[in-house]
Amino acid sequence: MSSQLYLDHYLNSGYVPVTNQPRLVYVLLEVRPGEELPTIPVPVNLGIVADKSESMCIPILTDEQFEELARMGAVQEVMVDGIPVWRFEGVPPGFAEGCPRNIDFVKSALRSALEQLSPDDRFALVAFAGKAVTLVPNQSGANKVRLLEAIDQLDDVQLGDETYMAKGMGLGYEEVQRGSSPSMVNRMIVLTDGFAMDASQCENLARQSAEAGIRVSTMGLGVEFNEELLISIADNSGGHAYLIYEAQDIPRAFAQELEGMQSIALCNLELKMRLASGVELRRAHKVKPVIYDLGQVPVYDRSVNIPLGDLEKDASPAVLLELIVPPRSAGSYRLAHTVLAYD
């Protein structure tokens, strides 16, 4: 019978010269699913955290429309959340009628999620801006009509113009915790088009979520979001970061993330490594499914634990290790003993 998983390893060189100096060796460790890997979808416990600041409701104008407003003097540059944005004043009535908005594409993405949620899944919806509010508390996917009602009412929610993302993430974390189960994939998705005014709190919540087994994926919308923060939140929690420059791509990215969650066969993969005597781990990098510098991973008595996240279909994780090997006489030596653990 085939194994569920294999851990393949590749070295940058099959040998190092015999010298009296330590040498740097690169080792790629790649997870490979076996033929007996289960394919039954795992239920999802999903918290959706959506930015409802005023900037999400600004019509997306064509270049020609923007230039026309500029000639009319209806456009001026102002600072919002610490970044320069365009403010529109004195726009003729009906000028932007029919123009799409970021919030419209978010609503479209949420409606598409309705089709993919099953009665075994759970979901919650939180909106944030200057304040945060839980629109749909955590409940069974059998109650999808509640999400549809909240989507229809999203335009009427007034939470201010500033972007305090940590307030939304905090409520989202509470809702996912409320429905959390070891037998489910526990995730949070954050959708925003702005720079958060509480970035450090967001990163702390990402680490807290990871410790609770909740992975946070982020979706930056537009062209002025804090790319570094959104990637950091995803990396610190084991989620994915989507940088979406065209609003019409939001539903497709949301569907891709949801499909990835529902294709998870194994959860909480962890690489457990015991270094041979004298071998040092200098640095570690995730290279699949996304590239991320893990930095100086803690080593305790030559033991190293590296979390790899969940195993999704067609997205097997891989890690690149930088090992410092001590000088040895000619011969064959072990670098490390590795074990792959998972739920």
Side-chain angles (χ1 to χ4, degrees):
M1 178 180 294
S2 300
S3 173
Q4 285 190 334
L5 285 182
Y6 297 94
L7 186 60
D8 297 330
H9 69 277
Y10 308 92
L11 283 79
N12 66 312
S13 176
Y15 65 91
V16 295
V18 177
T19 68
N20 60 357
Q21 298 295 325
R23 305 289 296 197
L24 179 63
V25 175
Y26 292 92
V27 182
L28 177 67
L29 295 172
E30 188 170 19
V31 177
R32 177 165 53 90
E35 296 178 358
E36 299 300 318
L37 189 67
T39 56
I40 299 174
V42 179
V44 173
N45 176 35
L46 176 62
I48 304 167
V49 180
D51 186 345
K52 185 50 179 62
S53 58
E54 292 299 318
S55 58
M56 290 285 288
C57 301
I58 295 175
I60 302 172
L61 303 177
T62 64
D63 291 341
E64 292 76 14
Q65 287 174 314
F66 184 88
E67 291 171 2
E68 183 178 350
L69 287 177
R71 287 193 297 269
M72 296 166 53
V75 180
Q76 59 178 320
E77 190 177 52
V78 297
M79 299 296 292
V80 175
D81 291 349
I83 61 170
V85 298
W86 297 109
R87 172 166 290 174
F88 300 87
E89 295 180 348
V91 178
F95 182 89
E97 186 175 352
C99 291
R101 307 166 300 165
N102 276 336
I103 195 65
D104 294 326
F105 290 103
V106 169
K107 290 161 65 176
S108 175
L110 296 179
R111 289 191 180 97
S112 68
L114 288 172
E115 302 173 6
Q116 295 174 265
L117 290 173
S118 75
D120 294 329
D121 297 325
R122 300 192 66 84
F123 69 93
L125 176 61
V126 170
F128 73 91
K131 300 180 291 185
V133 60
T134 300
L135 300 178
V136 181
N138 189 286
Q139 57 193 272
S140 167
N143 301 328
K144 291 191 288 187
V145 66
R146 290 289 306 277
L147 182 57
L148 184 60
E149 293 170 352
I151 294 170
D152 292 337
Q153 297 169 2
L154 200 53
D155 275 329
D156 300 326
V157 177
Q158 302 297 323
L159 300 173
D161 189 39
E162 296 176 318
T163 306
Y164 285 92
M165 190 161 64
K167 294 181 180 180
M169 289 180 62
L171 286 182
Y173 173 83
E174 292 175 7
E175 292 301 326
V176 177
Q177 277 281 74
R178 190 168 287 120
S180 179
S181 167
S183 62
M184 304 185 78
V185 174
N186 301 297
R187 287 287 181 93
M188 189 193 315
I189 299 179
V190 180
L191 304 101
T192 180
D193 74 338
F195 279 60
M197 301 185 71
D198 48 5
S200 60
Q201 294 97 311
C202 292
E203 292 182 326
N204 289 337
L205 276 166
R207 288 186 282 268
Q208 180 182 345
S209 297
E211 293 172 359
I214 300 170
R215 308 191 188 283
V216 184
S217 290
T218 56
M219 295 188 180
L221 321 175
V223 294
E224 294 292 350
F225 48 80
N226 188 337
E227 177 178 317
E228 183 178 345
L229 173 62
L230 297 182
I231 292 175
S232 176
I233 290 172
D235 287 340
N236 283 331
S237 65
H240 303 128
Y242 299 82
L243 309 179
I244 306 170
Y245 299 101
E246 299 293 336
Q248 59 266 29
D249 293 335
I250 296 172
R252 182 166 61 249
F254 196 94
Q256 177 183 334
E257 175 68 7
L258 196 54
E259 288 170 5
M261 295 179 202
Q262 294 172 328
S263 70
I264 290 174
L266 302 172
C267 300
N268 300 321
L269 274 71
E270 187 173 37
L271 180 67
K272 297 179 179 291
M273 184 167 59
R274 174 77 170 173
L275 298 171
S277 179
V279 176
E280 299 178 17
L281 174 62
R282 188 176 79 163
R283 210 164 187 85
H285 311 260
K286 278 187 180 178
V287 293
K288 288 175 58 182
V290 294
I291 298 175
Y292 176 55
D293 183 4
L294 295 171
Q296 295 180 332
V297 179
V299 180
Y300 303 101
D301 190 27
R302 294 192 284 123
S303 294
V304 182
N305 291 342
I306 301 177
L308 300 181
D310 300 327
L311 180 65
E312 298 180 11
K313 181 182 178 182
D314 302 325
S316 299
V319 176
L320 180 67
L321 307 176
E322 299 179 14
L323 300 180
I324 299 177
V325 179
R328 303 282 195 196
S329 57
S332 298
Y333 300 91
R334 170 181 287 179
L335 294 177
H337 178 254
T338 58
V339 172
L340 188 63
Y342 55 88
D343 295 339

